[in-house]
Amino acid sequence: SRDPSFLKEFWTQLDIMIILAGLIQIILDGVGLSGDSFALLRILRVVRILRLLKLFRKFAMLKELRKLLLMATSCFKTLFWSFLFCFICMTAWSMLAVEMLHMDMKVLVAEGAWRDCSFCERSLSNVMNANLLLFKTVVAIDSWGKVAVPLIERNPFAALIFCGSQLSIVFGVLNLIVAVVVDQFAEQRTKDVTNMANELEEE
């Protein structure tokens, strides 16, 4: 008989959770209820994606992909703090934009500068909308001048905010994040002596 300690393994418990989620889904469908109304079931269905990780471990030809996943998971903490740092910098620029440009925005809205864009009219109404505006225009480079150019034409000080945020976030913060993540990858690689030894044995 098999050692019952295998029930404590992560992949075994994951399989049990997936099977239970499927059984609950079948029962709910049988009584005429929709499983989509239960958030826990939706989460458990998403968890099934983790089974792909088990597949990656079984095939030697997926060694590079497995290595990428291991390195990515080891840097989740760095990526989280990098995202938070980027959000803080963007929020600082957004607060400045709301404080300095909100009145100019109201005048331009009254003049009908953005009749075809409802978001543009309220993009500086609060800090979170301004955050979305900066992410859209500075990071994603989506219609950069649609809001920025009319504001700059009315108030040249707006150029300092939009150009300053682009220079500091795109060329400063994002490049800094890339450098930190690459450095973390390199550091993790040097620490991962076990995997390096296994790779040498396979070769």
Side-chain angles (χ1 to χ4, degrees), residues 114-159:
W114 299 288
R115 288 193 181 93
D116 59 337
C117 179
S118 60
F119 172 73
C120 298
E121 295 180 345
R122 64 178 190 277
S123 57
L124 294 179
S125 59
N126 56 59
V127 174
M128 291 310 297
N129 279 347
N131 261 329
L132 181 57
L133 172 68
L134 287 182
F135 181 84
K136 175 184 174 184
T137 58
V138 173
V139 179
I141 317 295
D142 179 19
S143 304
W144 190 90
K146 192 165 188 177
V147 174
V149 170
L151 281 170
I152 292 172
E153 288 177 343
R154 176 170 180 80
N155 183 357
F157 177 76

Side-chain angles (χ1 to χ4, degrees), residues 84-104:
L84 184 62
F85 178 60
C86 183
F87 177 76
I88 290 172
C89 294
M90 196 177 301
T91 300
W93 282 109
S94 299
M95 292 171 66
L96 182 62
V98 171
E99 290 295 330
M100 304 302 297
L101 302 177
H102 182 53
M103 296 307 298
D104 295 308

Side-chain angles (χ1 to χ4, degrees), residues 6 18 34 42 62 72 81 89 94 100 119 125-126 128 141-142 144 155 158 161 166 169 179 184 191 195 199-200:
F6 82 98
I18 293 171
S34 174
R42 294 199 299 270
L62 300 176
W81 289 114
C89 294
S94 299
M100 304 302 297
F119 172 73
S125 59
N126 56 59
M128 291 310 297
I141 317 295
D142 179 19
W144 190 90
N155 183 357
I161 295 177
Q166 182 163 21
I169 293 173
Q184 179 67 19
K191 291 179 180 178
N195 282 336
E199 288 173 8
L200 289 174

Side-chain angles (χ1 to χ4, degrees), residues 33-102:
L33 295 176
S34 174
D36 294 334
S37 59
F38 296 90
L40 181 60
L41 282 180
R42 294 199 299 270
I43 293 172
L44 289 175
R45 286 203 296 266
V46 173
V47 168
R48 287 182 293 186
I49 299 173
L50 293 177
R51 287 185 60 83
L52 291 174
L53 299 179
K54 192 174 182 180
L55 178 67
F56 296 153
R57 296 174 60 189
K58 289 184 177 295
F59 293 94
M61 68 180 69
L62 300 176
K63 180 179 67 175
E64 288 78 10
L65 180 58
R66 186 168 65 250
K67 189 186 300 182
L68 284 172
L69 289 171
L70 288 173
M71 296 299 290
T73 53
S74 68
C75 291
F76 274 155
K77 185 178 179 180
T78 303
L79 291 172
F80 170 77
W81 289 114
S82 299
F83 169 78
L84 184 62
F85 178 60
C86 183
F87 177 76
I88 290 172
C89 294
M90 196 177 301
T91 300
W93 282 109
S94 299
M95 292 171 66
L96 182 62
V98 171
E99 290 295 330
M100 304 302 297
L101 302 177
H102 182 53

